[in-house]
Amino acid sequence: MNDQIKYLLQESDIPTTWYNLAADLRNPPAPVLHPATHEPITPADLLPIFPENIIAQEVSTEREIEIPGPVREIYKQWRPSPLFRARRLEKALDTPARIYYKYEGVSPAGSHKPNSAIAQAYYNKVAGVKRLVTETGAGQWGSSLAMACNFFGLACEVYMVRVSYNQKPYRRAIMETFGAKVTASPSPTTEAGRALLAKNPESSGSLGMAISEAVEVAAKDPDTKYALGSVLNHVLLHQTVIGKEAALQMKLAEDEPDIVIACTGGGSNFGGMAFPFIGEVLRGERQPLRIVAVEPEACPSLTRGRYAYDYGDTAHLAPITKMHTLGSTFVPPGFHAGGLRYHGMAPLVSQVVEEGLAEATTVAQLESFAAGVQFARAEGIVPAPESNHAIAAGIREALKCKEEGISRAILINVSGHGHFDMMAYLDFIGGKLQNYAYPEEEIAMALAGLPNVGDV
Amino acid sequence: MNDQIKYLLQESDIPTTWYNLAADLRNPPAPVLHPATHEPITPADLLPIFPENIIAQEVSTEREIEIPGPVREIYKQWRPSPLFRARRLEKALDTPARIYYKYEGVSPAGSHKPNSAIAQAYYNKVAGVKRLVTETGAGQWGSSLAMACNFFGLACEVYMVRVSYNQKPYRRAIMETFGAKVTASPSPTTEAGRALLAKNPESSGSLGMAISEAVEVAAKDPDTKYALGSVLNHVLLHQTVIGKEAALQMKLAEDEPDIVIACTGGGSNFGGMAFPFIGEVLRGERQPLRIVAVEPEACPSLTRGRYAYDYGDTAHLAPITKMHTLGSTFVPPGFHAGGLRYHGMAPLVSQVVEEGLAEATTVAQLESFAAGVQFARAEGIVPAPESNHAIAAGIREALKCKEEGISRAILINVSGHGHFDMMAYLDFIGGKLQNYAYPEEEIAMALAGLPNVGDV
């Protein structure tokens, strides 16, 4: 029996280009609108918050976009990331399924986020920017950008969603170790933050609020730009190194995935894994396969949100995009997968689900942690709470294989490790975690506030 | 310019044997004595706490000992570990030194400890053992053994030094996530623990105390054995995969180390890196080079301890060995490098220092964390507090190179990441950490309690 567990690529196998799904989609992405005028946004509108090179990438329809040399050099520190066959998990589940997982937790910051953080820091450096400001939920993005800014000599400022700031002091610590300035959001340091605090001084924050604060800070200082860790096209683009490598590694394993699974909050981890596979399907180079986006039960934009134009942030400073949304004022309950607490979804991810190229499902908090503990005991890796959503969905599929007596190849994207989320694991083991119901009323209220953009 | 930063080996380069330094040392290791009789210990004396296969390995003088297939299979999950050229750190230091570091933090448990934990769990499983009990300081060893026990279906119980138990709740969390039972030591669950608590109910614990508790539990149950994470010959043996790989990787880099540096508490991380290099020197296959063991200023067994027979634990249940010691009742101050808070030193490490094959130095807490922060900002990896000692010594050497205008190759062993030690980093950044002076009086008192073993 071939009992190989790791499929390792060479440095020369690190992709030399990112894959741009926009080149292969049958329908062009819906135009992005200005938050004030509701008119299609122009590159010039975006200049206060993004440098020109990133704006160009955001709207590019080129299929393959070259990864700059200095970015690829830094990728080499941890890429190609390993693809594992989860043989011990298969045994624990007693399933005929062939479970593979791509593990992005080997990056120094512990998740897939540096794939884009390094690229964004590089482009900003090239454009002469001095400081980057961003938001972070779980802290995976914030710590990645803090690290990347160091590498390129940029200052870094992070607005961290308050519930995560309180739940995850170690995440703040790693950002500060990297020299970043970290502020709990909503904060009194911005107009947006002060307005939110005036409405609710106890606000636990949300990604939407933190984005508002960060965008405001960037827009006010010509030497400062904003960096976003998900949602936008260029961010998902940078993450496609994951799926590109995984496709190569599945070939090394002499196998092909029947199901590809990733968690999705803003969509960068899902898009990074799924888009290269979807692209191959669209170009007729691969048989159609199931691609599954997994979101938390309590923040289910893809499965229960509306596909509509909505604001990207709470204070309506960020562009309006067409996406699955729960309403920009919706504040998700304080579950532990902070990276999945966003009201919207990447427009490109929304579009592939809308066009039937991918499906979506939800997992509740307790099922996600049970899956994480089972995975940790079998594989030795303690996954991030976000990743646990993908693992839970993967376990469901593996058990279905057992029930049906069918062996399918399941490829799971494990976005990162949970080293900074161990209190959540302790609470889960101690029976202190709960499920959060679908917040029906809050979402209905938030959806009532969708912008009236007319006929675009 | 060749600006390669990572030297990656293939799975087939994972060593097939461990290297046993005892085979090459000019003088045989001093005999180990029974704690009660002070007579040379026999394998039979050790059977209550170790299985026969491990005892055989402990006393072996075979040069190369085969790594069992199932152990090597599990090693493949993260081995070969990467060797990096620290180009960004070199630049930050503006040094002509060529700095390399071997990074063991890529293991799922986050340090080098699984190299031995996997092997020990395997041998115990083969021997029919049902449960392993151990001690842990920083938690690196405890979490590694907890993980390894899962892989082989063994139960696991960990006595964790109280100061670390309190400082590092995340470490306890990861052990419990792996299903281990964790008890703060000294505890009321053992005779040894109760005696220690009777003397000092506020005791912050020490590795010596935790070892006493774990050994006692193992000795009382025939289905339970004890596992030690450092100090003993077989543990250092298992760690030699580090140095063996590093030597291969330095060849890939077309370079040879002038200085090899590792931190040392019990000695497993140092021995694992240094012994293969020392062996080559002893066999005349390599030019002599500087090998530096780095210990904390406040627990300096190698640099300021006595080379004498002493007990391995506080309650005098573990064997007596000849080693550099600060006295078995010495309780080190509560600095953050919990893995270096041991009163003694591995007999083999003591012997190589005594015979002039390696040198030893100390680093105080503040210098160690300053080095860790500088390393993190340059390399993106936040090291464990233990590893920071080796990094600090490496930075000293790199700065000396600059002063002298000489380029030397410095190879640093980075034993693990500091993801579970982030509060210590926060405290350091916040100016809340302190240096601990050399605890002269406490050590003098403890040394007065050395066993009188006569002429061995």
Side-chain angles (χ1 to χ4, degrees):
Chain A
M1 182 184 114
N2 172 6
D3 53 2
Q4 197 166 345
I5 59 167
K6 183 169 67 175
Y7 297 93
L8 207 57
L9 299 171
Q10 300 303 305
E11 261 182 15
S12 54
D13 295 321
I14 297 175
T16 55
T17 57
W18 293 300
Y19 168 65
N20 184 4
L21 180 68
D24 287 317
L25 281 174
R26 288 189 202 97
N27 304 304
V32 175
L33 308 184
H34 194 286
T37 65
H38 295 190
E39 292 297 317
I41 213 159
T42 65
D45 292 330
L46 292 170
L47 273 177
I49 56 170
F50 293 119
E52 213 168 336
N53 47 13
I54 284 188
I55 296 170
Q57 205 165 68
E58 179 65 18
V59 299
S60 169
T61 53
E62 217 179 312
R63 178 174 291 132
E64 298 289 337
I65 294 179
E66 196 181 339
I67 303 177
V71 172
R72 208 162 166 274
E73 276 311 304
I74 295 177
Y75 278 179
K76 285 181 185 171
Q77 190 171 345
W78 71 94
R79 306 211 70 83
S81 70
L83 180 96
F84 293 106
R85 173 82 183 264
R87 292 195 184 267
R88 291 189 297 263
L89 180 62
E90 290 170 14
K91 204 173 153 191
L93 296 170
D94 187 24
T95 174
R98 299 164 338 261
I99 305 177
Y100 298 87
Y101 61 101
K102 177 78 168 164
Y103 184 48
E104 290 290 309
V106 292
S107 83
S111 78
H112 67 298
K113 293 292 188 189
N115 296 330
S116 186
I118 301 291
Q120 292 190 48
Y122 167 79
Y123 285 120
N124 277 282
K125 180 71 180 181
V126 165
V129 174
K130 304 290 181 215
R131 181 174 68 149
L132 285 179
V133 58
T134 194
E135 79 295 324
T136 199
Q140 301 272 25
W141 169 248
S143 50
S144 300
L145 192 71
M147 179 186 83
C149 283
N150 263 327
F151 293 171
F152 291 102
L154 298 170
C156 183
E157 209 171 317
V158 183
Y159 285 88
M160 185 172 189
V161 176
R162 187 172 296 275
V163 60
S164 292
Y165 187 93
N166 293 333
Q167 275 175 353
K168 306 186 179 199
Y170 282 33
R171 270 287 171 200
R172 172 167 69 90
I174 196 170
M175 289 185 266
E176 294 185 353
T177 297
F178 286 140
K181 184 177 159 196
V182 185
T183 308
S185 168
S187 82
T189 68
T190 65
E191 281 176 41
R194 285 189 292 273
L196 289 160
L197 287 171
K199 270 192 223 159
N200 177 12
E202 305 298 314
S203 171
S204 60
S206 71
L207 278 169
M209 295 180 196
I211 292 173
S212 296
E213 295 202 87
V215 166
E216 180 186 324
V217 170
K220 282 186 176 163
D221 175 5
D223 283 340
T224 300
K225 297 290 177 196
Y226 169 67
L228 186 62
S230 191
V231 180
L232 295 178
N233 299 351
H234 69 277
V235 186
L236 277 57
L237 175 82
H238 300 154
Q239 295 295 352
T240 57
V241 289
I242 303 173
K244 282 191 161 203
E245 286 180 8
L248 275 181
Q249 285 163 312
M250 290 303 298
K251 283 202 173 68
L252 272 188
E254 297 176 2
D255 207 346
E256 289 298 341
D258 297 300
I259 311 171
V260 171
I261 301 176
C263 69
T264 192
S268 83
N269 180 62
F270 173 79
M273 172 57 101
F275 287 1
F277 287 95
I278 293 175
E280 289 182 14
V281 171
L282 286 171
R283 298 193 303 277
E285 297 163 11
R286 176 184 291 274
Q287 289 298 314
L289 70 166
R290 285 182 59 204
I291 309 252
V292 183
V294 190
E295 47 183 20
E297 183 80 19
C299 190
S301 56
L302 275 173
T303 45
R304 305 185 72 163
R306 199 170 300 165
Y307 188 48
Y309 270 104
D310 197 7
Y311 302 101
D313 69 321
T314 312
H316 304 172
L317 302 172
I320 297 177
T321 57
K322 191 160 182 195
M323 59 181 175
H324 289 88
T325 179
L326 303 167
S328 67
T329 56
F330 171 60
V331 179
F335 54 84
H336 280 277
L340 308 183
R341 293 179 73 251
Y342 184 57
H343 70 276
M345 183 51 62
L348 283 176
V349 172
S350 292
Q351 191 175 341
V352 299
V353 169
E354 204 57 26
E355 296 185 0
L357 297 165
E359 59 192 276
T361 188
T362 62
V363 167
Q365 175 153 280
L366 292 180
E367 184 183 352
S368 77
F369 275 96
V373 168
Q374 184 165 36
F375 184 87
R377 293 187 181 176
E379 298 297 314
I381 291 167
V382 181
E386 293 80 11
S387 317
N388 286 345
H389 288 75
I391 291 166
I395 289 176
R396 281 187 199 160
E397 293 294 338
L399 293 176
K400 208 192 291 173
C401 284
K402 182 181 174 184
E403 218 178 275
E404 297 173 0
I406 297 174
S407 172
R408 296 189 188 94
I410 302 169
L411 170 57
I412 303 170
N413 198 12
V414 176
S415 57
H417 61 61
H419 297 171
F420 302 98
D421 306 281
M422 294 313 302
M423 291 317 290
Y425 277 92
L426 262 194
D427 286 347
F428 172 71
I429 292 167
K432 290 183 205 154
L433 289 195
Q434 58 172 104
N435 281 334
Y436 292 92
Y438 170 67
E440 191 150 4
E441 273 181 46
E442 291 89 331
I443 289 174
M445 266 177 55
L447 285 173
L450 286 183
N452 184 358
V453 299
D455 221 16
V456 189
Chain B
M1 182 186 117
N2 171 7
D3 54 1
Q4 197 166 346
I5 58 166
K6 183 169 68 173
Y7 297 93
L8 206 58
L9 299 170
Q10 301 304 305
E11 261 184 14
S12 54
D13 296 320
I14 297 175
T16 55
T17 57
W18 293 301
Y19 167 66
N20 184 4
L21 180 68
D24 287 317
L25 280 174
R26 288 188 202 99
N27 303 303
V32 175
L33 308 183
H34 193 286
T37 65
H38 295 191
E39 292 297 315
I41 213 161
T42 64
D45 291 330
L46 292 169
L47 274 176
I49 57 172
F50 293 119
E52 214 168 334
N53 47 12
I54 284 189
I55 296 170
Q57 204 164 68
E58 179 66 18
V59 298
S60 169
T61 54
E62 217 180 312
R63 178 173 292 133
E64 298 289 337
I65 294 179
E66 195 180 341
I67 303 176
V71 172
R72 210 163 164 273
E73 275 311 305
I74 294 176
Y75 278 178
K76 286 181 185 169
Q77 189 172 345
W78 72 94
R79 306 210 71 84
S81 70
L83 180 97
F84 294 106
R85 173 83 182 262
R87 292 192 185 271
R88 290 188 298 261
L89 180 62
E90 290 170 15
K91 204 173 155 194
L93 296 170
D94 187 25
T95 175
R98 304 170 326 270
I99 305 177
Y100 298 88
Y101 60 100
K102 177 78 169 166
Y103 185 47
E104 289 290 309
V106 293
S107 83
S111 78
H112 66 299
K113 293 293 189 188
N115 296 330
S116 186
I118 300 291
Q120 292 191 47
Y122 167 78
Y123 286 119
N124 276 282
K125 179 70 179 183
V126 165
V129 173
K130 304 290 181 218
R131 179 175 70 148
L132 284 180
V133 58
T134 194
E135 78 295 326
T136 201
Q140 301 271 27
W141 169 248
S143 49
S144 300
L145 192 70
M147 178 186 84
C149 283
N150 262 327
F151 292 171
F152 291 103
L154 298 170
C156 183
E157 208 171 317
V158 183
Y159 285 88
M160 185 171 190
V161 176
R162 187 173 298 276
V163 60
S164 292
Y165 186 92
N166 293 333
Q167 276 175 352
K168 306 184 178 200
Y170 282 33
R171 270 288 170 198
R172 173 167 66 91
I174 196 171
M175 290 185 264
E176 292 185 354
T177 298
F178 286 141
K181 185 179 158 196
V182 184
T183 308
S185 167
S187 82
T189 68
T190 64
E191 281 176 40
R194 285 189 293 273
L196 289 161
L197 288 171
K199 271 192 223 160
N200 177 11
E202 304 300 314
S203 172
S204 61
S206 72
L207 278 169
M209 295 180 197
I211 292 173
S212 296
E213 295 203 88
V215 166
E216 180 186 324
V217 170
K220 282 186 175 162
D221 175 5
D223 283 340
T224 299
K225 297 290 176 196
Y226 169 66
L228 186 63
S230 191
V231 179
L232 296 179
N233 300 350
H234 69 276
V235 185
L236 276 57
L237 174 83
H238 300 153
Q239 295 296 350
T240 57
V241 289
I242 302 173
K244 282 191 160 205
E245 287 180 7
L248 275 180
Q249 285 162 313
M250 289 302 298
K251 283 201 173 69
L252 272 188
E254 298 177 1
D255 206 345
E256 288 299 341
D258 297 300
I259 312 172
V260 171
I261 301 176
C263 68
T264 191
S268 83
N269 181 62
F270 173 79
M273 172 58 98
F275 287 0
F277 287 95
I278 294 175
E280 288 182 13
V281 172
L282 286 171
R283 297 193 304 275
E285 297 164 10
R286 176 184 292 272
Q287 288 298 314
L289 70 166
R290 284 182 61 204
I291 309 252
V292 184
V294 191
E295 45 183 22
E297 184 79 20
C299 190
S301 56
L302 274 174
T303 46
R304 305 187 72 163
R306 198 170 301 164
Y307 187 50
Y309 271 103
D310 197 6
Y311 301 101
D313 69 321
T314 312
H316 305 170
L317 302 172
I320 297 177
T321 57
K322 193 161 182 196
M323 59 180 175
H324 290 89
T325 179
L326 302 168
S328 67
T329 56
F330 171 59
V331 180
F335 56 84
H336 280 277
L340 309 183
R341 294 179 75 252
Y342 184 57
H343 69 277
M345 184 50 62
L348 283 176
V349 171
S350 292
Q351 191 174 341
V352 299
V353 169
E354 203 59 25
E355 295 185 359
L357 297 164
E359 59 191 275
T361 188
T362 62
V363 167
Q365 176 154 282
L366 292 180
E367 184 183 351
S368 77
F369 274 96
V373 168
Q374 184 165 35
F375 184 88
R377 292 188 182 176
E379 298 297 315
I381 290 168
V382 181
E386 293 80 12
S387 317
N388 285 345
H389 289 73
I391 292 166
I395 289 176
R396 280 188 201 162
E397 294 294 338
L399 293 176
K400 209 192 291 173
C401 285
K402 182 181 175 184
E403 218 177 275
E404 299 173 359
I406 298 174
S407 171
R408 297 190 188 94
I410 301 169
L411 170 57
I412 303 170
N413 198 12
V414 176
S415 57
H417 60 62
H419 298 172
F420 302 99
D421 306 282
M422 293 313 302
M423 290 318 289
Y425 276 91
L426 262 194
D427 286 348
F428 172 71
I429 293 167
K432 290 185 205 151
L433 288 195
Q434 57 171 105
N435 281 334
Y436 292 93
Y438 170 66
E440 191 151 5
E441 273 180 45
E442 291 89 331
I443 288 173
M445 266 177 56
L447 284 174
L450 286 184
N452 183 356
V453 300
D455 219 21
V456 190

